[in-house]
Amino acid sequence: MTYDIVFIVASVVAIAAALMVVLSGNPFISSLSLIANLIALATFYILLQSDFLAAAQVIVYAGAVMIMFLFVTAYLGGRADEPTRQRPWWQTLAALVASAGIAAEIVFGVERESFLHGPVVSDAFGAPQAIAASFLGRYLLAFEGTSVMLLIAAVGGVVLATRRPAPRGADEPGAFEVEQPVRVQSLQSSVMQAETEFEIVRSGAGSDEKDAG
Amino acid sequence: MHVGVQWFVSVSAILFGIGLYGVFTRRSPLILLLSVEIMLNACNLALISFSRYQGQQSGQVFALVVMAVAASEVVVGLGIVVAVARRKGDLDVDRLTGLRN
């Protein structure tokens, strides 16, 4: 009974938050609603005995990914808002038909009776040990591919976000800023220069005093 | 009422439809990325539901891979959004037609 109540509450929260994401005009409200949606989904994962995935969902998604969204929304400021321009009415209608069609197809397509009884699984079903055993055993290739993909994405993000210098014409020397060579001055010459300047000042001051005396 | 796997799959389908509606109707690339996130998470929910129904871990492993894919997609997508905003000023996916011709 508690299971059913938790499921109903979580599904109401998930669907309402998803609708807020899609229909809200404020990007901040959209991002925060997506966090609520992701936490409701983590509740589903706990109900499905996938504890490790629920923790990963909260930490990775609702934590890291959404923080990045919020940072970019704050960086863009007003430019992140929706452009106010009327779209043709048939576009909204087509979107409604397509999305409601896919959703209805699956909702009414799943056979109610055949899915009712899943197998009884032990408490260790979604535990980190079990996930690690499959991830580092049978699905090792997927694990390695995932790490390579994350590395590529990190490098790509850095490359995309780097501010490059403005491109120059073909006749101008060098496509990038040329550093001016630092003028090398030996220590001896600089000391001599300082001494001569100091002498000039001091002798000048002395001659002033002599003139005054 | 017994909450079986079909209820989870139904919620996942509804979430997928909402995300699809968002991708179709919104014009800000930031909201588009959020809608794609909703769709990816709906797929994750379906994967985990069937993993529970079958009593096997494969679906959970695949859901983890999908999470990594989503994180990579967000990194690259947000990088593109920031680069476009810096270069062009306005963010409207209907006007970003520089690669069309």
Side-chain angles (χ1 to χ4, degrees):
Chain A
M1 194 60 208
T2 318
Y3 193 89
D4 298 352
I5 293 171
V6 171
F7 174 82
I8 290 169
V9 170
S11 45
V12 166
V13 169
I15 292 171
L19 283 174
M20 284 276 283
V21 172
V22 171
L23 298 178
S24 160
N26 189 339
F28 264 115
I29 293 180
S30 292
S31 305
L32 294 174
S33 305
L34 188 57
I35 293 180
N37 182 26
L38 296 175
I39 289 174
L41 281 171
T43 313
F44 283 139
Y45 297 168
I46 290 174
L47 289 181
L48 290 165
Q49 289 178 305
S50 309
D51 307 337
F52 175 71
L53 273 170
Q57 171 93 354
V58 171
I59 293 171
V60 173
Y61 255 121
V65 172
M66 293 315 297
I67 288 293
M68 214 151 60
F69 263 106
L70 287 172
F71 266 128
V72 170
T73 313
Y75 172 76
L76 293 177
R79 282 179 292 176
D81 290 343
E82 190 81 358
T84 53
R85 199 150 46 79
Q86 282 298 318
R87 69 177 80 91
W89 61 271
W90 52 266
Q91 214 169 357
T92 310
L93 184 68
L96 208 58
V97 167
S99 50
I102 283 186
E105 193 178 353
I106 298 176
V107 168
F108 294 113
V110 287
E111 292 183 37
R112 297 285 161 188
E113 299 306 316
S114 61
F115 282 131
L116 208 52
H117 301 293
V120 177
V121 292
S122 67
D123 286 342
F125 175 62
Q129 291 89 349
I131 302 281
S134 358
F135 222 155
L136 296 177
R138 190 176 167 193
Y139 300 102
L140 185 62
L141 187 62
F143 180 73
E144 296 294 337
T146 306
S147 17
V148 171
M149 184 189 60
L150 281 174
L151 177 67
I152 292 172
V155 173
V158 170
V159 168
L160 279 171
T162 309
R163 194 189 292 267
R164 260 156 288 188
R168 299 190 182 191
D171 50 339
E172 294 177 54
F176 292 93
E177 203 71 42
V178 179
E179 277 191 28
Q180 293 296 327
V182 182
R183 201 148 44 87
V184 181
Q185 198 175 21
S186 70
L187 182 63
Q188 197 182 359
S189 68
S190 60
V191 167
M192 282 171 61
Q193 189 182 355
E195 277 182 349
T196 47
E197 283 175 3
F198 190 60
E199 278 298 318
I200 287 166
V201 169
R202 199 167 60 179
S203 60
S207 61
D208 283 339
E209 281 178 3
K210 272 177 193 170
D211 287 345
Chain B
M1 171 182 158
H2 179 271
V3 176
V5 175
Q6 74 272 20
W7 293 98
F8 290 96
V9 176
S10 302
V11 171
S12 142
I14 291 170
L15 286 179
F16 190 90
I18 293 171
L20 194 64
Y21 179 80
V23 170
F24 275 152
T25 54
R26 302 302 295 266
R27 293 182 196 281
S28 167
L30 215 60
I31 310 292
L32 286 192
L33 280 176
L34 289 174
S35 303
V36 171
E37 290 296 313
I38 294 179
M39 293 166 74
L40 281 169
N41 276 292
C43 297
N44 259 352
L45 180 58
L47 278 172
I48 293 172
S49 308
F50 285 120
S51 158
R52 172 68 185 81
Y53 173 64
Q54 300 281 344
Q56 292 180 357
Q57 248 108 37
S58 313
Q60 299 191 16
V61 173
F62 196 40
L64 270 177
V65 174
V66 170
M67 270 188 202
V69 169
S72 316
E73 168 246 331
V74 164
V75 167
V76 176
L78 287 180
I80 291 174
V81 168
V82 169
V84 166
R86 212 184 260 160
R87 194 168 282 250
K88 293 190 58 152
D90 71 328
L91 285 169
D92 186 343
V93 287
D94 285 347
R95 291 190 187 156
L96 300 178
T97 56
L99 286 176
R100 183 186 287 171
N101 299 314

